[in-house]
Amino acid sequence: MLRALRPLLAVLLFAGCGPDVASDAAPDLVSAPASLEASDRGGGANPREGSVRLSTGVTLRYVEQGRQDGPVVVLLHGYTDSHHTWDLDLQRFSRDFHIYALDQRGHGDSSRPACCYTQQAFAKDVVAFLDAKRVSRAVLVGHSMGSFIAQQVALDFPNRVKGLVLVGSAPTVAGNEVALGLKEVVDTLTDPVDPAFIHEFQASTFHAPVPESYLNTLVSESSKLPARVWQDALDGLIAEDHSSRLGRIRVPTLIIGGDHDGFFSVDEQRALARAIRGSKYLLYPETGHAPHAERPQRFVNDVHHFLERL
């Protein structure tokens, strides 16, 4: 049955079918060229690292950069990722913005509580983080799982959100055939999670080449998660369906997707744009589920343009 699912799961299940990494790719003005591989790890950005104990009971690890008095932007990573998902973007962002990139609960180097991994729990963490940093409102930039968390914050805590950037997103994960197929595999995972599975899962999300070092970092970060977090976080994603409430979002919203996204179809992406009134939708050609990693310069340029108009 799993063989009938979209390319994401097809690649995940059959090793060796993933996209090439950029080790031998020609430089591309809008993608992540191999010639920038070392600097794209984020070393030149010198982000400041920290951790904070939240009122929700978890301790979140994060990095920040930019002016302390600049407009606040919070970056929310995707499923099993960490703040390192933004490694190709952070150094490109203007230092005029005060950027926080979080390791969300259970992920990266943040604490891994036994409970809970619902979208509401993740959203409450975001608000508690803003409280801890004494930030009244922020722009939330979320990729995949992070995009649904950003939507949840905008719905449940609208006064805390200045704008949204939703990357690799859709109105809901509930009923998504790829997510349901992935769940069948994830539910069988035991500790330690198989590194080959993690590599194929991460590689399958890209259509355009990415630096090999970046992919290796993502695999290393996903390897930190115990099987129970893989399972609970995915269950939380599938269980939540706030699609009928999306019309209540009133903040400026930018939606960025790829035309070769193996998780959310272009039709699903467009449905999200229709559901959020006044949103702007950008579809990147020859791009998969991770536009921020596959087209980092274009992504940052588009987000800059959006932020400057708020």
Side-chain angles (χ1 to χ4, degrees):
M1 180 187 73
L2 293 179
R3 295 191 183 199
L5 298 182
R6 294 178 192 167
L8 177 66
L9 277 181
V11 172
L12 186 154
L13 291 173
F14 301 108
C17 299
D20 293 334
V21 294
S23 55
D24 298 313
D28 182 327
L29 291 178
V30 295
S31 66
S35 59
L36 293 181
E37 184 172 303
S39 61
D40 275 352
R41 292 291 300 277
N46 294 322
R48 303 176 292 277
E49 298 185 9
S51 62
V52 59
R53 176 78 172 180
L54 302 183
S55 61
T56 53
V58 298
T59 298
L60 292 195
R61 188 74 174 169
Y62 64 90
V63 297
E64 66 175 307
Q65 70 177 41
R67 289 172 38 192
Q68 293 292 327
D69 61 347
V72 176
V73 179
V74 177
L75 307 181
L76 304 173
H77 61 73
Y79 174 63
T80 79
D81 288 335
S82 73
H83 74 269
H84 284 290
T85 196
W86 309 105
D87 278 359
L88 305 182
D89 310 296
L90 279 174
Q91 68 171 348
R92 293 177 163 93
F93 273 107
S94 168
R95 299 309 187 271
D96 290 336
F97 301 109
H98 189 177
I99 295 178
Y100 292 101
L102 310 186
D103 286 355
Q104 298 177 86
R105 66 165 59 203
H107 294 68
D109 293 323
S110 291
S111 59
R112 313 190 203 286
C115 175
C116 297
Y117 294 90
T118 64
Q119 294 302 287
Q120 291 84 358
F122 282 114
K124 289 177 180 176
D125 286 344
V126 174
V127 174
F129 181 84
L130 296 179
D131 289 343
K133 294 301 177 180
R134 299 183 180 180
V135 174
S136 59
R137 299 174 73 212
V139 176
L140 304 182
V141 180
H143 170 240
S144 194
M145 182 185 81
S147 75
F148 295 100
I149 296 168
Q151 293 174 32
Q152 193 77 46
V153 176
L155 289 168
D156 293 349
F157 307 93
N159 61 322
R160 308 304 298 272
V161 179
K162 186 177 181 180
L164 293 172
V165 180
L166 308 176
V167 188
S169 194
T172 184
V173 185
N176 180 282
E177 65 176 6
V178 179
L180 293 173
L182 178 61
K183 175 176 165 58
E184 291 186 17
V185 180
V186 168
D187 282 349
T188 69
L189 297 180
T190 57
D191 294 320
V193 178
D194 183 4
F197 164 80
I198 296 174
H199 185 278
E200 289 307 316
F201 169 74
Q202 285 288 359
S204 70
T205 63
F206 306 116
H207 176 76
V210 298
E212 183 175 12
S213 59
Y214 174 74
L215 177 58
N216 290 340
T217 295
L218 297 187
V219 172
S220 177
E221 292 297 296
S222 291
S223 298
K224 295 178 179 179
L225 276 63
R228 65 175 178 85
V229 175
W230 280 80
Q231 292 155 0
D232 291 350
L234 184 56
D235 285 347
L237 262 176
I238 293 172
E240 172 60 29
D241 184 1
H242 53 236
S243 57
S244 64
R245 301 168 57 206
L246 290 173
R248 302 179 189 177
I249 295 177
R250 292 289 188 266
V251 296
T253 300
L254 173 63
I255 299 166
I256 299 177
D259 65 347
H260 283 73
D261 189 327
F263 213 112
F264 299 120
S265 68
V266 173
D267 285 344
E268 289 172 291
Q269 297 171 41
R270 288 176 173 156
L272 177 62
R274 288 193 301 269
I276 301 178
R277 300 174 189 174
S279 62
K280 181 176 182 180
Y281 171 45
L282 300 178
L283 181 63
Y284 289 6
E286 297 300 318
T287 303
H289 185 56
H292 65 291
E294 299 172 64
R295 311 290 176 190
Q297 190 60 64
R298 177 175 179 180
F299 172 78
V300 171
N301 289 345
D302 287 334
V303 174
H304 272 173
H305 187 67
F306 173 75
L307 295 175
E308 288 165 356
R309 289 176 166 236
L310 294 180

